[in-house]
Amino acid sequence: MRNKRRGFTLIELLIVIVVIGILAAMMMFSSTEAVSSAKASNIISNLR
């Protein structure tokens, strides 16, 4: 009899969740930096 593998193991699911978490954290950091840059540009344009 063959041992058919169905679904994912717990380790595989945890690895996927960790990778998604890391990517989400990177996106949050870059979006915060973009907002900061946009505010600075807005202040400079208002001074003109």
Side-chain angles (χ1 to χ4, degrees), residues 4-22:
K4 290 187 178 182
R5 185 174 171 200
R6 290 187 164 191
F8 298 103
T9 65
L10 181 61
I11 300 298
E12 290 170 333
L13 290 175
L14 288 175
I15 290 171
V16 169
I17 290 171
V18 167
V19 168
I20 290 172
I22 291 170

Side-chain angles (χ1 to χ4, degrees), residues 17-34:
I17 290 171
V18 167
V19 168
I20 290 172
I22 291 170
L23 292 174
M26 289 171 51
M27 290 295 293
M28 293 286 276
F29 179 72
S30 74
S31 68
T32 302
E33 190 174 308

Side-chain angles (χ1 to χ4, degrees), residues 35-48:
V35 168
S36 169
S37 176
K39 285 181 182 179
S41 296
N42 189 15
I43 290 171
I44 291 171
S45 69
N46 286 339
L47 289 175
R48 293 181 187 167

